[in-house]
């Protein structure tokens, strides 16, 4: 039976590669080609975000009650619908429907892969290797996706519908892969009906509240992830400020993907030499250097800062995913992870709204001065709370 569970790991690598969006480097260009304005593009992004936030926790509860394999299958199905709507669409209503299905698809993936991987390793008595395997998931998926992103802009110039047809093919392949997953047996409680959604949510909240170590890790993940996400919409304008021709944007995106994967895979090696607190200090330090590069730099300095931000993203994500998972009960795992993702999304939405206004007033680079100042306040508070929580546990 353990061989069946072990098969989940390479299948999860393949699945994670196939569900990456291949249309990312050209999606805004595609919208503009189909006569959408920036207000409509903003509406599409807002709709996806709102749906994702409103379904985040429900999706986690669904995975805990009905199975993580089922959730991963549903993510692939909604991914197929999303790419299909982009492929056949040529106007705002079509793309609005695609934004809705894309938002819904996020509910079934957020936290589910991590929970599925951790539960698989638990069955194999290898949970101590979670960082290593989760880092490999990140490395393989982002590196291979980076190679795909290199050619997508060229494919788009040949036929602007073809990238979405390729996306459909990838999601169909991911659906076939998900069908071969072997779900670790759920507890009797996890096999209950959907009527237990509210109690499941309350149970997960209580678990977070009662575990200071879990809460501190979730807060740390919220701060680091939200500031990375906040930076994402400003990446293309920063590339323009750096003087990079648009034709090379795909190359930078591909390189950032690969570096993010590398950031994830080195963490399990570094933990041999550094404590958790020191590892998080290093991750925060990389982000601080990146923010400084955004605000003070020009040309190559800005491009290096973009790469450093992605390095920090993969690095922090693997460390904190491991810390969160180690402190969750299996029957609540995906629900708690979804709560963590929800907090990240909410903070990210607030940061983008605030700093979007600031950028319009004083410019993108000057905006990052204020972003850096707020990040320093938040990260110091999160690290202080984590240290205080760990000291309390030691004294107990």
């Amino acid at each position: 039976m353990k061989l069946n569970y072990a098969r989940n790991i390479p299948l999860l690598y393949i699945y994670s590669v196939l569900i990456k969006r291949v249309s990312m480097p050209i999606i805004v260009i595609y919208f503009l080609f189909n006569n959408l304005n920036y207000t409509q593009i903003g509406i599409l992004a807002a709709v996806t975000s709102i749906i994702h936030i409103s379904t985040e926790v429900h999706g986690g509860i669904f995975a805990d009650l009905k199975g993580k394999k089922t959730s991963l299958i549903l993510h692939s199905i909604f991914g197929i619908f999303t790419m299909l709507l982009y492929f056949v669409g040529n106007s705002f209503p079509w793309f609005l429907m695609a934004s809705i299905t894309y938002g819904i698809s996020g509910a079934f993936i957020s936290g589910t892969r991590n929970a599925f991987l951790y539960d698989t390793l638990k069955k194999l008595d290898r949970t101590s290797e979670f960082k290593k395997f989760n880092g490999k998931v990140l490395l393989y998926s982002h590196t291979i996706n980076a190679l795909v992103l290199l050619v997508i802009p060229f494919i788009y110039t040949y036929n602007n519908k073809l990238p979405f047809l390729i996306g459909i093919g990838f999601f169909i392949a991911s659906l076939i892969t998900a069908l071969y997953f072997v779900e670790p047996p759920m507890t009797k409680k996890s096999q209950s009906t959907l009527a237990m959604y509210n109690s499941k949510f309350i149970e997960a909240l209580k678990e977070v509240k009662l575990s200071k170590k879990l809460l501190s890790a979730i807060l740390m993940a919220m701060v680091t992830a939200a500031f990375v996400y906040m930076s994402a919409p400003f990446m293309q304008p920063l590339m323009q400020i750096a003087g990079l021709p648009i034709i090379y944007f795909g190359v930078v995106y591909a390189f950032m993907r690969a570096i993010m994967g590398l950031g994830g895979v080195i963490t399990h090696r570094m933990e041999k030499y550094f404590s958790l607190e020191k590892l998080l200090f290093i991750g925060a330090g990389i982000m601080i250097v990146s923010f400084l590069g955004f605000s003070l730099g020009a040309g190559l300095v800005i491009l290096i800062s973009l790469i450093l931000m992605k390095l920090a993203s993969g690095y922090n994500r693997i460390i904190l995913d491991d810390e969160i998972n180690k402190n969750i009960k299996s029957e609540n795992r995906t629900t708690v992870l979804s709560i963590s993702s929800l907090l990240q999304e909410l903070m990210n939405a607030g940061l983008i709204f605030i700093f979007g206004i600031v950028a319009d007033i004083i410019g993108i680079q000057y905006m990052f001065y204020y972003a850096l100042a707020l990040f320093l306040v938040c990260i110091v508070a999160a690290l202080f709370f984590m240290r205080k929580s760990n000291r309390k546990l030691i004294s107990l």
Side-chain angles (χ1 to χ4, degrees):
M1 192 63 187
K2 281 194 173 184
L3 287 175
N4 291 333
Y5 291 133
R7 192 178 62 183
N8 284 341
I9 296 173
L11 287 175
L12 200 57
Y13 293 159
I14 297 168
Y15 180 85
S16 298
V17 168
L18 294 170
I19 62 170
K20 292 295 179 188
R21 285 186 300 155
V22 299
S23 59
M24 184 177 62
I26 51 86
I27 189 67
V28 174
I29 299 171
Y30 183 67
F31 289 153
L32 294 172
F33 175 81
N34 284 283
N35 300 314
L36 269 67
N37 55 43
Y38 284 108
T39 299
Q40 290 173 315
I41 293 171
I43 290 171
L44 296 179
V47 166
T48 298
S49 182
I50 290 168
I51 291 174
H52 189 59
I53 288 172
S54 62
T55 58
E56 181 93 46
V57 176
H58 296 289
I61 296 171
F62 178 89
D64 281 334
L65 292 175
K66 293 299 180 181
K68 298 168 186 67
K69 176 179 176 178
T70 303
S71 285
L72 296 174
I73 289 171
L74 286 171
H75 176 74
S76 295
I77 291 171
F78 277 101
I80 293 169
F81 282 133
T82 300
M83 289 295 116
L84 182 61
L85 288 166
Y86 283 139
F87 179 70
V88 301
N90 57 8
S91 61
F92 179 75
W94 284 101
F95 302 143
L96 180 61
M97 288 189 288
S99 296
I100 292 169
T101 56
Y102 179 55
I104 294 171
S105 73
F108 297 105
I109 194 66
S110 181
T112 308
R113 274 181 304 169
N114 283 341
F116 186 68
L117 174 60
Y118 198 90
D119 284 345
T120 295
L121 293 174
K122 196 170 183 179
K123 285 293 178 184
L124 298 171
D125 299 319
R126 300 178 70 179
T127 54
S128 62
E129 299 178 74
F130 177 72
K131 274 197 191 80
K132 180 178 75 173
F133 287 112
N134 198 22
K136 285 183 178 180
V137 169
L138 194 66
L139 176 66
Y140 297 156
S141 63
H142 281 71
T143 301
I144 296 174
N145 181 244
L147 296 175
V148 175
L149 293 184
L150 281 173
V151 300
I152 288 298
F154 295 98
I155 293 172
Y156 177 83
T157 58
Y158 174 74
N159 185 319
N160 64 8
K161 294 285 187 180
L162 197 51
F164 304 104
L165 187 61
I166 293 171
I168 292 170
F170 271 42
F171 273 108
I172 290 173
S174 75
L175 174 60
I176 295 169
T177 303
L179 293 173
Y180 286 95
F181 286 138
V182 179
E183 177 93 34
M186 295 182 291
T187 64
K188 186 177 180 181
K189 195 171 187 178
S190 295
Q191 292 171 337
S192 302
T193 65
L194 296 180
M196 291 189 65
Y197 265 42
N198 289 336
S199 62
K200 193 71 172 172
F201 179 56
I202 293 170
E203 187 179 320
L205 285 177
K206 285 181 179 178
E207 183 171 350
V208 174
K209 183 180 178 181
L210 292 173
S211 174
K212 297 297 182 185
K213 198 169 183 180
L214 174 58
L215 178 59
S216 65
I218 288 174
L219 291 176
M220 190 71 183
M222 177 184 74
V223 171
T224 54
F227 274 92
V228 170
Y229 296 154
M230 181 278 293
S231 305
F234 302 104
M235 285 186 176
Q236 291 183 16
L238 283 169
M239 289 182 206
Q240 289 180 319
I241 292 170
L244 186 72
I246 294 175
I247 193 171
Y248 295 117
F249 279 19
V251 176
V252 175
Y253 270 106
F255 197 60
M256 287 193 296
R257 283 282 190 183
I259 290 296
M260 184 175 175
L262 177 63
V265 82
I266 63 175
T267 55
H268 80 278
R269 300 182 185 278
M270 293 181 66
E271 69 177 343
K272 298 176 184 177
Y273 309 102
F274 300 101
S275 66
L276 172 65
E277 199 170 82
K278 288 180 180 178
L279 287 171
L280 292 174
F281 269 119
I282 293 170
I286 296 171
M287 291 184 69
I288 290 168
V289 171
S290 182
F291 278 125
L292 285 171
F294 293 157
S295 55
L296 297 172
L300 186 61
V301 173
I302 292 177
L303 297 180
I304 292 172
S305 298
L306 289 169
I307 292 166
L308 285 176
M309 182 60 75
K310 284 297 181 182
L311 175 67
S313 176
Y315 174 91
N316 290 325
R317 174 174 159 182
I318 297 303
I319 293 171
L320 291 164
D321 278 354
D322 180 65
E323 188 64 18
I324 291 170
N325 271 287
K326 284 193 298 189
N327 293 283
I328 307 173
K329 297 175 184 176
S330 290
E331 61 266 24
N332 295 326
R333 190 174 307 282
T334 320
T335 307
V336 174
L337 290 173
S338 295
I339 291 172
S340 176
S341 296
L342 174 61
L343 292 173
Q344 294 169 25
E345 288 278 351
L346 288 172
M347 186 172 183
N348 171 49
L351 290 175
I352 288 178
F353 177 74
I354 293 168
F355 288 113
I357 295 172
V358 175
D360 280 335
I361 296 172
I362 64 173
I364 290 173
Q365 287 195 279
Y366 285 113
M367 175 272 291
F368 275 106
Y369 282 115
Y370 295 94
L372 173 59
L374 183 58
F375 175 71
L376 285 170
V377 171
C378 292
I379 203 69
V380 168
L383 285 168
F384 176 78
F385 183 78
M386 177 172 278
R387 175 178 285 187
K388 189 176 178 182
S389 300
N390 288 338
R391 281 181 178 175
K392 281 186 178 180
L393 284 170
I394 291 170
S395 65
L396 290 173

